[in-house]
Amino acid sequence: MTVASQVKQTLATLKGVQGTLRTYNVQAKNEKAQSVYNNSLEITNVIIKDLEDRIKVLEFEEPQYKGN
């Protein structure tokens, strides 16, 4: 498995985790739990953005990985 495919797989997994966090946030009964989920969502957003930027760099440097 190439580095590009590993990064893309990690990105897909993280987006799935983010969806789960959103679900838990909606279902949370108390404000403290919602605050924790919101904080986690903000952190995952930053990581997702970083991974998306990294994928762009990988695809620019190695065009054969584009779209894989």
Side-chain angles (χ1 to χ4, degrees):
M1 183 177 279
T2 66
V3 171
S5 62
Q6 288 175 332
V7 174
K8 289 176 183 180
Q9 183 177 7
T10 301
L11 178 61
T13 301
L14 188 55
K15 286 182 177 182
V17 167
Q18 195 174 48
T20 301
L21 287 170
R22 282 191 187 104
T23 300
Y24 290 164
N25 186 32
V26 170
Q27 294 174 348
K29 301 289 186 207
N30 64 53
E31 289 183 30
K32 182 168 172 76
Q34 288 178 333
S35 175
V36 170
Y37 291 129
N38 281 329
N39 187 40
S40 298
L41 285 165
E42 289 174 16
I43 293 168
T44 57
N45 277 333
V46 170
I47 297 168
I48 285 171
K49 175 75 172 97
D50 288 346
L51 287 175
E52 289 172 339
D53 291 345
R54 181 64 183 142
I55 288 170
K56 288 177 187 174
V57 170
L58 286 169
E59 289 177 344
F60 177 77
E61 291 176 353
E62 301 289 341
Q64 69 268 25
Y65 297 134
K66 194 170 197 151
N68 290 341

